[in-house]
Amino acid sequence: MIEKVLSDSSALFLFWLFASAGFGKLKPENRQYYSSLISDYFGAVGEKFGFIVLLVGSLEIVSGFLMLSPATRHIGTAFILILLAAYLSLMMYQKYQGKINQDCGCAGPHSNIKVGIETITRNVVLCGIATLCALPAVGDFYLTFGLSLCLSLFMALTYLSAEKTISNLQKSKLLQGR
């Protein structure tokens, strides 16, 4: 039963994370930020691919909703793992290039989180959580819904706390001149 609860709660958490991220990317007031971010990641070539923001945002939303049904969860899990691997690769490349003041883009335009070892580690953890969705899901999702919902809310609160901790750590490093 624990495998089923882990699968369901991880799926609910990833639904929340990816659907909200996707809707954030599709908001008209955020498109310029994400288009600019693509240019920061890819240089002049990125300016030609502003439509990617709409594509990625839509894929995040669809992937999130696919996580809600045990019948489609494996498809959503694959999409989410591909997205996470792409984000992880892009952040590692930025870190390799020494771009320490590069926004990661993970928390939207109102966040001050930069690409760093903290965000890379967080994405590795998210990949691990996504793999939990490959565990056998509950045939009747509603049997363990309460427990899964509580665990997914705990995951969401932990994620938000980690985002704030990363932000504070990066601010502290900046103030110390590292």
Side-chain angles (χ1 to χ4, degrees):
M1 180 168 126
I2 191 69
E3 296 90 1
K4 296 174 182 181
V5 171
L6 285 174
S7 178
D8 290 345
S9 56
S10 298
L12 286 171
F13 167 68
L14 291 171
F15 159 72
W16 165 76
L17 184 64
F18 278 82
S20 61
F23 282 118
K25 285 177 182 67
L26 296 183
K27 285 183 180 177
E29 63 268 22
N30 293 344
R31 287 190 195 147
Q32 180 58 42
Y33 167 77
Y34 284 108
S35 293
S36 174
L37 190 64
I38 288 174
S39 295
D40 290 345
Y41 272 94
F42 296 107
V45 170
E47 294 173 9
K48 299 175 184 174
F49 295 104
F51 68 92
I52 292 276
V53 174
L54 298 175
L55 181 67
V56 169
S58 298
L59 183 58
E60 286 177 338
I61 292 168
V62 168
S63 298
F65 277 99
L66 287 170
M67 301 305 286
L68 294 179
S69 169
T72 58
R73 188 169 299 156
H74 63 286
I75 299 167
T77 300
F79 284 152
I80 285 175
L81 283 170
I82 289 167
L83 286 167
L84 285 171
Y87 299 155
L88 184 60
S89 298
L90 287 170
M91 284 193 277
M92 289 171 57
Y93 183 66
Q94 297 306 311
K95 181 77 174 152
Y96 171 76
Q97 288 186 316
K99 292 185 178 179
I100 57 172
N101 287 322
Q102 171 74 45
D103 277 2
C104 78
C106 303
H110 304 294
S111 171
N112 60 354
I113 296 178
K114 307 296 183 197
V115 170
I117 192 68
E118 305 87 2
T119 53
I120 290 169
T121 302
R122 184 212 45 218
N123 271 32
V124 169
V125 170
L126 288 173
C127 287
I129 290 171
T131 58
L132 290 175
C133 296
L135 294 171
V138 173
D140 187 0
F141 181 70
Y142 303 103
L143 290 176
T144 57
F145 182 74
L147 183 57
S148 296
L149 181 63
C150 288
L151 188 54
S152 68
L153 289 173
F154 176 75
M155 287 178 177
L157 290 174
T158 302
Y159 179 85
L160 293 172
S161 297
E163 287 284 306
K164 193 62 177 170
T165 302
I166 289 169
S167 175
N168 289 339
L169 180 64
Q170 289 179 344
K171 283 180 189 176
S172 175
K173 285 181 180 178
L174 187 64
L175 290 173
Q176 292 175 359
R178 285 199 242 165

